[in-house]
Amino acid sequence: MSKAIGDQDKLFFEAGKKHFRIWTAVNGKPTDAIDWFTVEKLLFEHWRGEIQIHGLTSHREFLKFQLLYVGISKQDDSFSRLFQNGHEKRTKILSNETQKRAAARLTDELFIFFFDVQQTHVRTIEDADDVDRVFEEPYVDKARLVADAEKAFVKILDTSYNTIKYKQYPKGVDGLHGAGLDAYVYWIDEDVEFTTSSETVRGAHVGDGMNPMSADVILISGDKVSLVKPDTAED
């Protein structure tokens, strides 16, 4: 049950082809909308533990996507970059790709995922000099972090609509190479799975935890980058 419903006694449910809404009701008529769901929002709140869908034992079966392109917004916000100002790769995808189901429209099957990049730092202490720096606030510029994350996912997934493949990654002028990090990892903190013609990356929502647990992680150590899956990781 949605947290927004609370202890309401009388409710009105409105169902359409693509979404449904829940209203408070007076005399059997809807008054105030208190929650709404599409399939995607319903699954999202389910895997984050905000609601429970009884009888759904494998929500991940609905969360597998063919990934076509990875991009970042360096100046404008993502919405403006993709819609208001037009976007070359989005236009090419709509022109070149075909729908998965004959009765569907490509625009109905195309999903755009917006992700933020958050930093979590782990510092190791090996000698007295490290102890002196343990309370320093580690910081990586957000623009460098986002640029590096884009390159990491393009490098590993080799997405078909990314013309620049970053073959020399993790080396680069605007990423984290040379930032003084011994090693770092990226993972997708949501229960989604992205597949290209050459690779699959499986995410897993862990919230504020530091251990991605069942997620695939992109590991960057020195000049080496690799995809580490839970079933192949060393103990």
Side-chain angles (χ1 to χ4, degrees):
M1 177 176 289
S2 170
K3 293 180 180 179
I5 293 176
D7 58 356
Q8 297 287 338
D9 293 329
K10 297 180 180 180
L11 299 172
F12 181 89
F13 292 85
E14 176 190 21
K17 292 182 178 180
K18 296 183 179 181
H19 73 281
F20 66 91
R21 292 184 290 183
I22 305 173
W23 304 69
T24 55
V26 176
N27 298 324
K29 295 182 179 181
T31 53
D32 298 314
I34 57 176
D35 213 339
W36 62 273
F37 296 98
T38 60
V39 172
E40 293 75 28
K41 181 175 182 286
L42 189 67
L43 290 170
F44 175 78
E45 295 191 11
H46 173 74
W47 83 60
R48 282 175 163 253
E50 297 174 11
I51 63 173
Q52 183 178 1
I53 304 176
H54 294 284
L56 181 62
T57 58
S58 184
H59 65 276
R60 282 185 170 275
E61 293 301 314
F62 300 96
L63 298 166
K64 298 179 180 181
F65 301 90
Q66 177 188 1
L67 185 64
L68 299 174
Y69 177 76
V70 176
I72 60 174
S73 296
K74 294 183 178 179
Q75 297 178 350
D76 297 329
D77 61 273
S78 296
F79 183 87
S80 299
R81 181 170 182 255
L82 286 166
F83 300 103
Q84 183 176 340
N85 302 327
H87 190 274
E88 177 190 0
K89 297 301 170 60
R90 177 172 173 266
T91 301
K92 284 187 176 181
I93 290 171
L94 290 171
S95 300
N96 298 338
E97 296 296 317
T98 58
Q99 66 269 31
K100 299 297 183 182
R101 294 188 299 116
R105 295 182 301 176
L106 181 59
T107 51
D108 292 333
E109 294 184 338
L110 182 64
F111 288 82
I112 299 174
F113 291 86
F114 296 90
F115 289 102
D116 190 14
V117 181
Q118 297 182 344
Q119 303 182 42
T120 300
H121 299 268
V122 177
R123 173 166 290 167
T124 58
I125 300 174
E126 296 180 349
D127 52 40
D129 292 336
D130 291 334
V131 174
D132 294 336
R133 296 187 297 108
V134 71
F135 294 108
E136 294 179 4
E137 183 67 24
Y139 176 76
V140 176
D141 179 72
K142 185 66 173 288
R144 291 182 64 185
L145 181 62
V146 172
D148 193 90
E150 178 202 23
K151 293 177 175 62
F153 280 94
V154 171
K155 168 82 171 185
I156 289 295
L157 285 163
D158 191 21
T159 39
S160 56
Y161 283 86
N162 284 91
T163 53
I164 301 175
K165 301 296 186 178
Y166 304 112
K167 296 295 185 181
Q168 300 302 314
Y169 179 82
K171 294 181 179 179
V173 296
D174 61 345
L176 299 184
H177 192 262
L181 301 174
D182 295 328
Y184 54 99
V185 299
Y186 293 108
W187 77 84
I188 301 172
D189 188 23
E190 302 293 355
D191 286 4
V192 292
E193 182 176 303
F194 294 124
T195 299
T196 65
S197 59
S198 59
E199 192 56 84
T200 294
V201 170
R202 184 178 188 270
H205 177 61
V206 296
D208 295 330
M210 296 173 61
N211 185 355
M213 301 176 68
S214 58
D216 297 343
V217 299
I218 299 176
L219 169 65
I220 300 93
S221 180
D223 291 337
K224 182 180 179 182
V225 54
S226 57
L227 181 65
V228 180
K229 296 179 178 291
D231 56 353
T232 61
E234 296 180 358
D235 294 333

